[in-house]
Each structure stands twice: as C-alpha cells, then as structure tokens.
Amino acid sequence: MFRKIPSKVRDTTVFQEFKNEFSPQVKVLEGLARAFLDRHAKVIFSVMILLIVASFILTFFVLKPTSGDQSQGNKKGLNAIPSDLGGELSALQELSSRAIQMNELKTQIERIISQESISKEDSIYLEKAIEQLQYFNNQPKEDEH
C-alpha cells in the first residue's frame, strides 16, 4: 500500500500529474465561469463601478477619522496596564540596556586587544572597561529577587 511507484518518465513533476488528473474538471469550471462572465458582463461591470463609488463615498464623507478619540483611547489603554507589568517592563528595559552596554564594551575591548601596540589612553580605557564588565557580571539577575 505504501510502496513507491516509479514514474516511467523521469521529468514528471507533481504539478504535471495534478494537471493530468484534474484537467477535465478544471476545463469544465473554466467553461462555466467564462459562460457566466459572458452572459452577465454588463451587470458585473456595473457592480464593480458601484462598489468603487460606494467605497469612495464611505471613505471621504461618511466614515471620518477621529484622531482625537484614538489618542484618548490609547491613553486609556496605557493607563489600564497593571502595575506588575510596568515593573516587569522596566526590568526588561534595564536588562536590554545592560546587554547593549556589555556588547559595546566587549567590542571595544576586542578592538584594543587586537592592536599590536596599546597607547596609554587605551590601557586606561581597557582597565575601566574590564571593571565595568565585572560589575555587570556580578550584578544580581532579576530572576533571583
């Protein structure tokens, strides 16, 4: 039942097989659609024009945007944020800023270390950057609270 049946033609694709299998039904549907469109061409065209005009009228005259109401709704939505979520968002923001600072420090350290000779300013910066990295690594994580 699950045995693979090899095709006699090597260049046969799944799309070609579907086309061969369902082409009579597709041709019948195409014929029906073409006959329907030919019989009712004026009605279909009129409905399309009517929909375009109705859309224009609704967009510019009936449904006016109320930007003031939207901003008030957004403010109400922001005020509805629970206080626990606000604390979590600030903790997430702090973690992301810490990660960005650590990444910047690591790239600067790698840039300085890759140089053949290090100037006095670079060595001072390197010491401070390593101290900052150690500080970031030793800070308690937000999960441990």
Side-chain angles (χ1 to χ4, degrees), residues 30-45:
E30 283 179 357
L32 289 174
R34 184 162 294 143
F36 178 80
L37 292 174
D38 287 340
R39 268 187 267 136
H40 304 292
K42 289 182 181 180
V43 174
I44 292 172
F45 180 76

Side-chain angles (χ1 to χ4, degrees), residues 78-119:
L78 288 176
N79 290 336
I81 294 176
S83 61
D84 297 341
L85 186 60
E88 291 175 7
L89 289 175
S90 65
L92 183 63
Q93 184 180 10
E94 181 182 328
L95 283 174
S96 64
S97 65
R98 187 187 315 175
I100 291 170
Q101 289 175 346
M102 287 178 66
N103 190 25
E104 289 175 0
L105 287 174
K106 286 180 182 180
T107 56
Q108 290 296 329
I109 290 172
E110 290 173 358
R111 183 190 58 82
I112 292 172
I113 290 176
S114 66
Q115 296 176 357
E116 289 186 23
S117 63
I118 299 175
S119 67

Side-chain angles (χ1 to χ4, degrees), residues 7 10-22:
S7 175
R10 288 285 181 209
D11 295 331
T12 303
T13 62
V14 174
F15 179 71
Q16 289 172 341
E17 289 297 320
F18 275 125
K19 185 178 176 183
N20 291 339
E21 186 70 29
F22 296 112

